[in-house]
């Protein structure tokens, strides 16, 4: 998305827009469209110092290797089915491949109700959680994977449900 009217959102120290203005701005994406987006994240402006810093992050090469590994896991998982990637999973695939620990099952149920999620959002959260687990080389979706995935929908909670 383009910047807010004053240009500083989500940096609330600098953004001079009213809550109403921010809501109008964020609300330009309708809920049905947002429902079709897998990952939503607010990005704060990057300072000059941060850009000039050394950075300890992974290189593109490292990330590529990780992604290739996650793709190989998916290839193996879906061998013999008509799909190749997590994003293509249907309800049946999700039931077989996105199992959660019992506590996470209950946790997710609470989140689903509290955040007033749609069936589509439910599916997307599990697919993204599956992918995060694959990127980290985990066979099972762990609590932290589920939480990270849910956090990519937290904008929804913030702006679309009130
Ligand atoms: Zn602003």
């Amino acid at each position: 998305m383009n910047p807010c009217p004053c240009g500083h959102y989500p940096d609330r120290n600098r953004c001079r827009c009213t809550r109403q203005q921010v809501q109008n701005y964020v609300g330009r994406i309708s809920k049905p469209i947002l429902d079709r987006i897998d990952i939503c994240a607010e990005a704060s402006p990057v300072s000059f110092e941060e850009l000039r810093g050394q950075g300890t992050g992974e290189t593109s090469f490292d990330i590529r290797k990780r992604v290739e590994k996650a793709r190989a896991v998916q290839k193996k998982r879906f061998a013999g089915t008509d799909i190749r990637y997590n994003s293509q999973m249907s309800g049946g695939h999700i039931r077989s491949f996105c199992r959660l620990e019992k506590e996470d099952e209950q946790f997710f149920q609470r989140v689903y109700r509290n955040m007033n999620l749609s069936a589509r959002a439910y599916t997307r959260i599990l697919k993204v959680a599956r992918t995060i687990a694959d990127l980290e080389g985990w066979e099972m979706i762990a609590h932290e994977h589920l939480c990270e995935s849910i956090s990519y929908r937290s904008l929804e909670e913030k702006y679309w449900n009130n």
Side-chain angles (χ1 to χ4, degrees), residues 91-141:
H93 299 123
I94 287 173
R95 274 188 293 279
S96 334
F97 302 120
C98 299
R99 293 219 178 88
L100 299 174
E101 302 280 4
K102 205 176 171 83
E103 309 85 77
D104 280 334
E105 198 74 62
Q106 289 161 355
F107 166 73
F108 193 26
Q109 191 177 58
R110 283 198 303 276
V111 169
Y112 182 80
R113 288 181 183 149
N114 293 344
M115 285 178 71
N116 193 20
L117 295 172
S118 65
R120 200 178 260 133
Y122 166 92
T123 302
R124 287 189 189 279
I125 286 172
L126 287 174
K127 286 179 184 178
V128 171
R130 179 66 270 170
T131 302
I132 295 167
D134 288 346
L135 285 167
E136 305 214 337
W138 285 58
E139 199 164 317
M140 191 85 186
I141 296 173

Side-chain angles (χ1 to χ4, degrees), residues 29 34 37-42 151-156 160:
I29 295 184
L34 187 79
I37 297 175
D38 286 342
I39 294 177
C40 267
E42 281 183 343
S151 77
Y152 296 133
R153 302 219 75 85
S154 58
L155 282 185
E156 214 162 317
W160 278 268

Side-chain angles (χ1 to χ4, degrees), residues 15-120:
C15 174
R16 283 173 288 105
C17 300
T18 62
R19 177 157 176 86
Q20 189 57 51
Q21 274 177 310
V22 168
Q23 251 173 34
N24 289 344
Y25 155 69
V26 182
R28 267 191 267 162
I29 295 184
S30 72
K31 190 155 181 174
I33 288 182
L34 187 79
D35 238 12
R36 290 169 168 80
I37 297 175
D38 286 342
I39 294 177
C40 267
E42 281 183 343
S44 302
V46 183
S47 71
F48 185 75
E49 290 74 19
E50 282 174 292
L51 285 173
R52 297 295 296 165
Q54 286 293 325
T56 52
E58 290 177 299
T59 63
S60 299
F61 182 74
D62 293 333
I63 294 169
R64 188 197 168 103
K65 277 199 297 197
R66 214 151 51 89
V67 170
E68 282 172 349
K69 232 167 100 186
R71 288 227 156 180
V73 168
Q74 292 173 56
K75 197 175 167 190
K76 212 168 134 193
R77 172 179 304 134
F78 299 124
T81 73
D82 53 351
I83 63 166
R84 294 170 68 191
Y85 304 115
N86 292 339
S87 61
Q88 299 170 308
M89 285 192 286
S90 64
H93 299 123
I94 287 173
R95 274 188 293 279
S96 334
F97 302 120
C98 299
R99 293 219 178 88
L100 299 174
E101 302 280 4
K102 205 176 171 83
E103 309 85 77
D104 280 334
E105 198 74 62
Q106 289 161 355
F107 166 73
F108 193 26
Q109 191 177 58
R110 283 198 303 276
V111 169
Y112 182 80
R113 288 181 183 149
N114 293 344
M115 285 178 71
N116 193 20
L117 295 172
S118 65
R120 200 178 260 133

